[in-house]
Amino acid sequence: MKFCVKAWSKGGGRAGVMQVGGCAIETPALLLTTRKGLPNFIPPDLLSSLPDPDSRLLQFSPLHFSEGISLKTISELGGLHQMLGLKEHVFAAVPRDSIISLPEYQSANKMGASFETPCGRLLIKPAQYMEMISSMKPNMWATLADEVPAWVSEKRNRASVDRTVRWLDECITSNVVTNTGGAVFGSIVGGSKIEERKRCAQEVAKRNVSGFCIGGFGLGESMDERPALLNAITESLPEEKPRQICGLGLPEEVLQGVAAGVDLFDSTYIYHLTLGGFALTFPLDDITKCCSGDQLCDDGTDGTKINLKATVYRKDTSPIKEGCKCYTCQNHTKAYINHLFNVHEMLAQILLEIHNTHHYLGFFHVVRETIKRGTFQEFRQNFVESRRDHIFAVALGA
Amino acid sequence: MTISSHNAYGSTIKGLTTSQLEEIGCQIILGNTYHLALRPTSELIDELGGLHKFMNWPRALLTDSGGFQMVSLLHLADITEKGVTFQSPVDGKPMLLTPEESIQIQNRIGADIIMALDDVVKTTITGPRIEEAMYRTLRWIDRCIAAHKRPHDQNLFGIVQGGLDPVLRDICVKGLVDRDLPGYAIGGLAGGEDKDSFWRVVAQCTAALPEDKPRYVMGVGYPLDIVVCSALGADMYDCVYPTRTARFGTALVPEGVLKLKHQAMAHDTRPIDQMCECMVCKNYSRAYIHCLVTKDAMGSQLLSYHNLFYMMKLSRDLHSSIVEGRFPEFVCKFLQKMFPEGDVPQWVCNAMEVAGIDISSCCSPFPSS
């Protein structure tokens, strides 16, 4: 894996390129969430209809394979790329996925991290984790971390940093690490305590890792306290290595991360939108001239997304978004998708996940462009304010 | 010519996109009139330009009459000369589906082939009800023909009824043929009757129906049934089996079925079917599908894809083997794979004999009882 920063923008954002698994991925980039390595709904043969190479970056949790298939069988199949028939894709392993692999800080102990999964509560030790990584052979993998929510005691928080650094060392010195071939991303925790975040980042930065995986966010800290924490971390990290983060899903949160110098983001946003029947519609071009408060969308939506389950779309023969090049918008209408939701057909989620993924990848593309052009700060401000204005205007109108 | 159509309950094949269906070679999809009339309603479909446009399916569509679902799904459905009376599942009001109404709904939906409303009874029933249903079906076909507003773009098929009684079936066939319809369906089967009775009814009907019109055996079925019916001269089939069985973790293979839920599958690194060229068999192992099946929707999606591909391939193979004059060889190979011990069921042997296909090479010399 090779990474280099190509452009910096006022307001902290940086654009770069990551060469990994035969792909040149431009950053800031989105890691698509998967379940057992495949998208939640999109069938593998339709993955190629998504933007390339943006959509090749897939995130998975090794814990998804805790039952149903053994590590031995995965190894026999040749690892994840072979098993999933996605040889040209890039897999990033992170134990936490915020959907079905949730850190459970109370059951974690000095031996290992604990996660709530569909297979029950699992305690994962570094050696075990490395066995998983070694058999799955992802292109990139985060070291095992003890992620704790924002409200834990200082003592517990300190312990999480100590453990995470110790497990990092165990992971990278484990005797299977040479089998993996993947790039190591050292995990950084520290909760919502600036000093602990700094301490952890500094310690991890000393290790021989290819990048950094910032954990412990999206676990109870407020959006307001986040920038200071993020900056404390990134200021302690070397510029030339990529920074990945978990738990920042919403566009506004991604923008916070970008401003602090983060390069790779996972997100459950697409998954939750899709489950709820929502399709993203916010404008992707010329966002710096976003609609102001008086230009309220007359369908009562917030201008960001629409809910395809709403009866107003029963006879709407237009695509979700005019001009959207995704498979769904090129082939189907809002009326059809509305009907699919009414009759509880899985195709509804498939079509929505395709559109939402396409759209969100488009958002990341715009972010990268504004960084290269030096207009990121302005773009971010406009984006956040226009969404706030809408909600305010709707509330006033209600 | 063999076409397998696939049931689309909610105007989609369980989890597959129209592009995937096109890719696997699906030529015609069946839309359930009963479900579509409930949601989103035939009026809405009509307003939006018909079902093809609504679901963006560029190939053929067929709708059934709505009668079968009513009788099988609704507890208080009752059949009178007027039509099928039932309780609306939406608000419990008494409603009536007449032949005229069924055709009007199907005219609005706009499928290429539409089915007459028939008086269908289960083959497991005996007595005068079967005769009553057969004659009523003939009276109703005239009402369907009269009500059909789009005979130039929609082909109305009649449905042969008559239970398992050859005399009744014969009367029905003659009655329908007299109306010179674009195609004919053999109905009232695939409802639990024994296989021996089943094939005999199909054989009788195909022998009596015109050579130059399609024969559609409704609700069939299992790959073996399709091979036998094709040997007997049928052309079209529909069945929920491939996708329904996929949702239970079962894959269709030349040997029969493969149950991906079984523990043994967890270590099996082979594809579902070594010879299958579908996306699923080219990329996935039994072990991976096993870990998905019953837990993740992707498991049923992948299995549905494979199962439909399998059925489409079967249709194509039947077609090309007939066209290329090697149908008996194809049938033998098919049976040999499915019954490697030679234990081909007696009903299949009997049917093949009547069809004039020599399958002695696949049957063991001393059939087990």
Side-chain angles (χ1 to χ4, degrees):
Chain A
M1 194 271 302
K2 289 198 190 51
F3 175 76
C4 69
V5 181
K6 298 280 195 198
W8 283 263
S9 181
K10 280 197 320 276
R14 54 198 225 152
V17 180
M18 187 171 69
Q19 301 270 5
V20 62
C23 297
I25 308 273
E26 287 192 22
T27 63
L30 174 67
L31 294 138
L32 300 181
T33 52
T34 62
R35 182 178 293 229
K36 293 181 181 162
L38 291 181
N40 286 285
F41 305 105
I42 307 174
D45 55 328
L46 284 180
L47 266 180
S48 53
S49 72
L50 290 169
D52 193 65
D54 311 33
S55 61
R56 290 198 188 263
L57 205 45
L58 304 175
Q59 176 159 313
F60 78 101
S61 167
L63 275 59
H64 290 180
F65 300 100
S66 301
E67 71 177 4
I69 191 166
S70 68
L71 292 183
K72 178 160 172 283
T73 306
I74 297 178
S75 295
E76 262 177 57
L77 288 167
L80 221 55
H81 294 81
Q82 303 293 332
M83 182 170 75
L84 302 170
L86 295 175
K87 297 164 197 141
E88 321 275 304
H89 282 70
V90 176
F91 282 97
V94 182
R96 166 190 175 195
D97 79 348
S98 306
I99 302 176
I100 55 170
S101 187
L102 310 170
E104 212 299 297
Y105 75 100
Q106 282 171 315
S107 310
N109 57 40
K110 60 184 182 207
M111 305 298 290
S114 178
F115 298 88
E116 288 289 7
T117 74
C119 319
R121 189 173 295 176
L122 304 173
L123 184 75
I124 308 289
K125 302 178 189 177
Q128 240 176 309
Y129 182 64
M130 289 314 296
E131 293 287 343
M132 295 178 189
I133 297 295
S134 150
S135 85
M136 295 171 196
K137 300 196 187 9
N139 302 87
M140 322 159 20
W141 53 278
T143 59
L144 191 64
D146 181 21
E147 293 182 71
V148 297
W151 59 79
V152 298
S153 69
E154 296 212 12
K155 184 175 172 198
R156 179 66 182 88
N157 196 32
R158 267 200 304 277
S160 79
V161 172
D162 295 334
R163 279 178 200 166
T164 299
V165 175
R166 195 173 65 246
W167 294 342
L168 160 62
D169 288 335
E170 282 182 48
C171 284
I172 61 180
T173 57
S174 98
N175 55 15
V176 296
V177 76
T178 44
N179 288 351
T180 72
V184 187
F185 278 59
S187 287
I188 298 171
V189 293
S192 50
K193 293 283 177 277
I194 294 210
E195 286 313 309
E196 284 300 295
R197 281 288 181 181
K198 267 204 199 133
R199 178 168 80 93
C200 197
Q202 282 160 359
E203 280 304 308
V204 174
K206 292 180 194 162
R207 271 72 178 170
N208 182 16
V209 291
S210 305
F212 306 98
C213 186
I214 304 169
F217 283 99
L219 293 176
E221 79 286 355
S222 74
M223 267 189 83
D224 294 333
E225 56 185 321
R226 220 182 269 147
L229 292 164
L230 289 173
N231 287 320
I233 297 166
T234 53
E235 278 158 17
S236 312
L237 297 176
E239 290 270 309
E240 71 278 6
K241 292 185 182 174
R243 300 92 173 252
Q244 183 181 342
I245 194 163
C246 290
L248 300 193
L250 294 175
E252 289 87 344
E253 298 178 307
V254 167
L255 294 174
Q256 271 186 330
V258 170
V262 177
D263 311 295
L264 300 162
F265 297 81
D266 73 351
S267 179
T268 60
Y269 190 43
I270 294 170
Y271 177 68
H272 289 122
L273 285 169
T274 302
L275 278 189
F278 290 96
L280 289 174
T281 53
F282 61 81
L284 288 177
D285 48 320
D286 228 30
I287 277 189
T288 41
K289 299 187 198 129
C290 238
C291 29
S292 64
D294 1 296
Q295 269 180 266
L296 189 60
C297 303
D298 58 9
D299 53 4
T301 66
D302 62 1
T304 329
K305 57 190 182 292
I306 56 174
N307 192 312
L308 270 309
K309 296 184 189 180
T311 51
V312 68
Y313 299 116
R314 252 172 60 87
K315 297 187 186 177
D316 191 330
T317 54
S318 60
I320 292 171
K321 189 160 195 292
E322 286 301 336
C324 176
K325 301 272 185 291
C326 81
Y327 173 86
T328 304
C329 290
Q330 295 288 301
N331 287 287
H332 293 294
T333 62
K334 293 200 204 61
Y336 182 56
I337 302 173
N338 175 264
H339 165 68
L340 293 176
F341 272 112
N342 286 337
V343 294
H344 310 293
E345 281 291 337
M346 187 165 61
L347 187 59
Q349 276 106 357
I350 294 170
L351 295 178
L352 272 199
E353 193 181 36
I354 290 174
H355 170 79
N356 287 335
T357 303
H358 189 102
H359 196 95
Y360 213 31
L361 287 173
F363 170 72
F364 274 79
H365 178 83
V366 170
V367 167
R368 292 192 292 269
E369 291 303 303
T370 61
I371 293 173
K372 289 181 207 164
R373 274 191 250 128
T375 56
F376 173 70
Q377 208 168 19
E378 194 196 339
F379 160 76
R380 180 184 173 198
Q381 203 171 334
N382 282 342
F383 185 89
V384 173
E385 273 171 16
S386 75
R387 278 154 77 100
R388 258 189 225 148
D389 285 349
H390 265 293
I391 295 169
F392 189 54
V394 170
L396 278 185
Chain B
M1 180 174 68
T2 315
I3 312 169
S4 268
S5 58
H6 296 288
N7 275 291
Y9 282 114
S11 74
T12 164
I13 309 285
K14 297 293 166 190
L16 269 71
T17 62
T18 47
S19 65
Q20 286 177 308
L21 290 169
E22 260 183 283
E23 226 172 83
I24 67 180
C26 181
Q27 298 175 82
I28 178 168
I29 301 179
L30 182 153
N32 285 110
T33 297
Y34 172 73
H35 292 283
L36 292 173
L38 278 179
R39 287 182 295 200
T41 73
S42 59
E43 288 83 358
L44 186 144
I45 294 177
D46 192 19
E47 202 182 316
L48 298 188
L51 188 58
H52 289 87
K53 199 157 174 224
F54 185 60
M55 60 186 287
N56 195 16
W57 174 244
R59 296 182 179 173
L61 285 171
L62 180 154
T63 46
D64 58 2
S65 63
F68 179 76
Q69 254 89 31
M70 279 184 198
V71 167
S72 57
L73 294 181
L74 300 170
H75 298 298
L76 299 173
D78 193 26
I79 307 188
T80 64
E81 190 59 27
K82 275 200 286 210
V84 181
T85 60
F86 62 100
Q87 242 190 3
S88 163
V90 173
D91 55 12
K93 278 207 322 252
M95 301 194 73
L96 175 67
L97 180 73
T98 59
E100 290 78 10
E101 181 63 19
S102 168
I103 298 302
Q104 274 159 34
I105 293 172
Q106 294 185 75
N107 281 158
R108 286 191 286 264
I109 293 173
D112 306 280
I113 300 174
I114 65 175
M115 305 303 297
L117 183 67
D118 53 342
D119 185 357
V120 49
V121 288
K122 287 199 172 77
T123 42
T124 42
I125 288 176
T126 53
R129 176 75 187 99
I130 307 184
E131 183 170 347
E132 179 195 47
M134 186 278 287
Y135 281 113
R136 183 168 292 143
T137 295
L138 286 179
R139 290 192 293 276
W140 281 1
I141 188 68
D142 287 333
R143 289 168 60 183
C144 288
I145 294 169
H148 188 17
K149 299 262 180 330
R150 303 175 54 185
H152 301 295
D153 29 50
Q154 292 181 290
N155 299 279
L156 173 63
F157 279 27
I159 308 178
V160 181
Q161 294 294 344
L164 302 175
D165 184 334
V167 173
L168 295 177
R169 285 279 176 179
D170 187 54
I171 296 171
C172 202
V173 166
K174 291 203 163 74
L176 290 177
V177 171
D178 276 350
R179 273 83 174 166
D180 192 27
L181 296 163
Y184 302 93
I186 302 165
L189 296 174
E193 69 284 344
D194 67 286
K195 284 291 196 257
D196 203 51
S197 312
F198 159 74
W199 78 261
R200 286 174 205 281
V201 172
V202 173
Q204 183 197 354
C205 292
T206 52
L209 287 167
E211 286 281 306
D212 61 343
K213 302 270 175 80
R215 302 92 170 275
Y216 165 27
V217 189
M218 302 187 79
V220 166
Y222 301 124
L224 180 61
D225 297 1
I226 288 180
V227 171
V228 171
C229 291
S230 299
L232 294 172
D235 310 295
M236 290 167 64
Y237 311 93
D238 80 273
C239 201
V240 295
Y241 177 63
T243 48
R244 181 169 289 171
T245 209
R247 293 199 292 285
F248 289 107
T250 300
L252 298 177
V253 291
E255 294 75 17
V257 298
L258 189 71
K259 300 213 165 134
L260 274 306
K261 274 198 288 195
H262 278 184
Q263 200 38 49
M265 296 289 128
H267 316 289
D268 198 333
T269 55
R270 297 173 291 175
I272 289 171
D273 177 9
Q274 212 87 29
M275 305 304 294
C276 181
E277 307 250 294
C278 85
M279 173 272 287
V280 177
C281 291
K282 292 232 277 260
N283 289 290
Y284 301 101
S285 57
R286 296 173 183 194
Y288 180 65
I289 308 238
H290 168 83
C291 88
L292 291 178
V293 133
T294 72
K295 297 214 178 65
D296 298 286
M298 187 60 69
S300 337
Q301 258 203 68
L302 295 177
L303 279 183
S304 290
Y305 187 100
H306 164 79
N307 285 355
L308 285 177
F309 187 96
Y310 181 84
M311 298 303 289
M312 299 285 76
K313 174 132 200 313
L314 178 63
S315 302
R316 279 196 298 273
D317 288 346
L318 284 166
H319 177 93
S320 50
S321 70
I322 294 170
V323 162
E324 291 165 21
R326 46 180 181 80
F327 182 65
E329 290 87 336
F330 176 80
V331 173
C332 283
K333 259 180 71 184
F334 178 87
L335 292 174
Q336 269 157 5
K337 287 235 190 69
M338 199 170 270
F339 304 103
E341 316 276 302
D343 52 336
V344 177
Q346 193 59 46
W347 72 271
V348 175
C349 299
N350 296 343
M352 289 302 175
E353 196 176 325
V354 164
I357 309 284
D358 178 12
I359 57 165
S360 50
S361 62
C362 350
C363 296
S364 58
F366 305 105
S368 47
S369 53

